[in-house]
Amino acid sequence: MAAATTAEVPPAPALRLGGLTPLTTIDFPGRLAAVFYCQGCPWRCGYCHNPELLDATAPPGLPWERALAFLKSRRGLLDGVVFSGGEPTLQAALPAALAEVRAMGLQTALHTGGMYPGRLAALLPCLDWVGLDIKALPQHYDAITATPGSGGRAWESLEALLAHGTDHECRTTWHAGLFGVDELLALAQALAARGVRRWALQECRAPGAPAWALSEKHRGQLAALFPVFTLRRA
Ligand code: SF4
């Protein structure tokens, strides 16, 4: 029998990146890290801060081999890599990319909207930290993401993350024109009831987003629900 040649097996597609941030001290808590921005996202949030990354078919702005070469040039200076986006879990190449980075002795973090709960659950053993975007209560999601059924998937990802116990933060970017303070309080209560212990509330920076109108009383109510509560102003 003739042996199979490597020419018969097409190489797996590499992770498509739009670019990188060479150093961050805030996106991977406690670590000096680079951020890799993955191309493509299946959702279309009106306030997306990286719209240039949404098209999954766009040519990579940063070839994967160059991203790896960058990491080699920073050996000993970085603790880890954050895979952000866009939506990293969109790409089938993500598990192999995480493995390559870990093989270099670096830790791995993921920023995700949680739209693929099964993929996230499978990735958790390969991740040291996760920033999970929970945009709203499930019933408010579709109007935010322009994608039917998106809320159920994000909250399913939250369940997977909490069940696995990977170190994480839940974060919500609050656009007060999309839901009000009462809904925000209900969201915080729902997250706390599910077992979220670390929540960050981020002000929406999109043009036209209403100015933040959280009273001291409301801030106190939100903060009281979580052992770790962070406000991030625009
Ligand atoms: S999920 Fe994130 S990356 Fe995707 S459209 Fe929404 S804000 Fe942008």
Side-chain angles (χ1 to χ4, degrees), residues 50-139:
N50 280 330
E52 70 281 1
L53 290 170
L54 298 186
D55 181 2
T57 65
L62 175 66
W64 177 242
E65 289 307 320
R66 271 182 47 206
L68 287 179
F70 164 79
L71 292 181
K72 285 172 189 157
S73 75
R74 294 296 192 279
R75 210 179 278 276
L77 301 175
L78 292 172
D79 302 314
V81 176
V82 182
F83 290 81
S84 187
E87 174 52 49
T89 61
L90 178 69
Q91 298 194 46
L94 182 61
L98 290 170
E100 280 189 271
V101 167
R102 283 196 149 188
M104 298 174 75
L106 293 162
Q107 296 182 37
T108 52
L110 174 71
H111 290 176
T112 179
M115 54 278 283
Y116 299 108
R119 294 182 195 176
L120 177 63
L123 289 170
L124 288 172
C126 305
L127 292 166
D128 298 290
W129 188 85
V130 174
L132 176 62
D133 194 15
I134 293 291
K135 299 177 182 298
L137 287 166
Q139 61 267 32

Side-chain angles (χ1 to χ4, degrees), residues 181-228:
V181 174
D182 288 347
E183 288 89 351
L184 182 67
L185 286 167
L187 167 62
Q189 287 161 353
L191 291 171
R194 297 288 174 107
V196 172
R197 295 289 171 263
R198 184 182 294 268
W199 186 50
L201 180 60
Q202 307 175 148
E203 188 171 19
C204 185
R205 289 174 281 181
W212 203 324
L214 262 188
S215 67
E216 284 301 321
K217 178 183 162 197
H218 287 137
R219 290 180 200 203
Q221 288 174 318
L222 294 171
L225 290 167
F226 303 94
V228 181

